[in-house]
């Protein structure tokens, strides 16, 4: 029987899902097939920044962010200690690719 108080929950900001910036809430049709194809090909010139210039990131930016927090998580573990990581699709893809 597992007791909830036995475990420490930590949230790592680097494991948040890909920031889609100005594309958040839009359909694929609204974003456009060409933009989506360029984004999937890691074309950083198509990163969907918001109208005020904030938000949005490319896959390479996401990968860098995820790996930085992966390293922080691993460094925080004691020998023979394990961790469970819960994330979203694009973060999981970065971890698998690594």
């Amino acid at each position: 029987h597992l007791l909830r108080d036995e475990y420490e929950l930590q949230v790592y900001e680097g494991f948040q899902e890909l920031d889609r910036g100005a594309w958040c809430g839009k359909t694929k049709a609204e974003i456009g097939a060409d933009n989506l194809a360029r984004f999937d090909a890691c074309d950083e010139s198509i990163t969907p920044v918001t109208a005020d210039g904030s938000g949005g990131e490319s896959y390479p930016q996401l990968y860098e962010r995820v790996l930085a927090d992966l390293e922080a998580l691993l460094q925080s573990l004691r020998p023979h200690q394990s961790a469970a990581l819960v994330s979203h699709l694009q973060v999981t893809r970065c971890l698998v690719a690594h």
Side-chain angles (χ1 to χ4, degrees):
H1 186 290
L2 298 177
L3 297 175
R4 193 159 125 190
D5 294 336
E6 291 180 38
Y7 301 95
E8 180 183 346
L9 176 66
Q10 294 183 6
V11 176
Y12 287 79
E13 298 298 319
F15 297 134
Q16 290 186 17
E17 181 58 299
L18 175 72
D19 182 353
R20 290 182 170 81
W23 292 354
C24 286
K26 293 187 176 185
T27 66
K28 289 181 180 181
E30 290 171 322
I31 295 168
D34 183 55
N35 285 337
L36 290 171
R38 289 174 55 203
F39 187 76
D40 287 343
C42 297
D43 179 349
E44 290 190 57
S45 69
I46 199 62
T47 299
V49 293
T50 57
D52 66 1
S54 65
E57 65 186 331
S58 65
Y59 282 127
Q61 291 168 327
L62 171 70
Y63 188 77
E64 183 178 318
R65 170 170 59 82
V66 168
L67 292 187
D69 265 8
L70 175 61
E71 183 63 26
L73 169 62
L74 295 174
Q75 291 297 319
S76 74
L77 298 175
R78 295 181 309 271
H80 306 290
Q81 186 180 21
S82 59
L85 194 152
V86 179
S87 68
H88 292 277
L89 176 64
Q90 302 306 333
V91 171
T92 302
R93 286 180 173 175
C94 288
L95 295 168
V96 171
H98 177 65

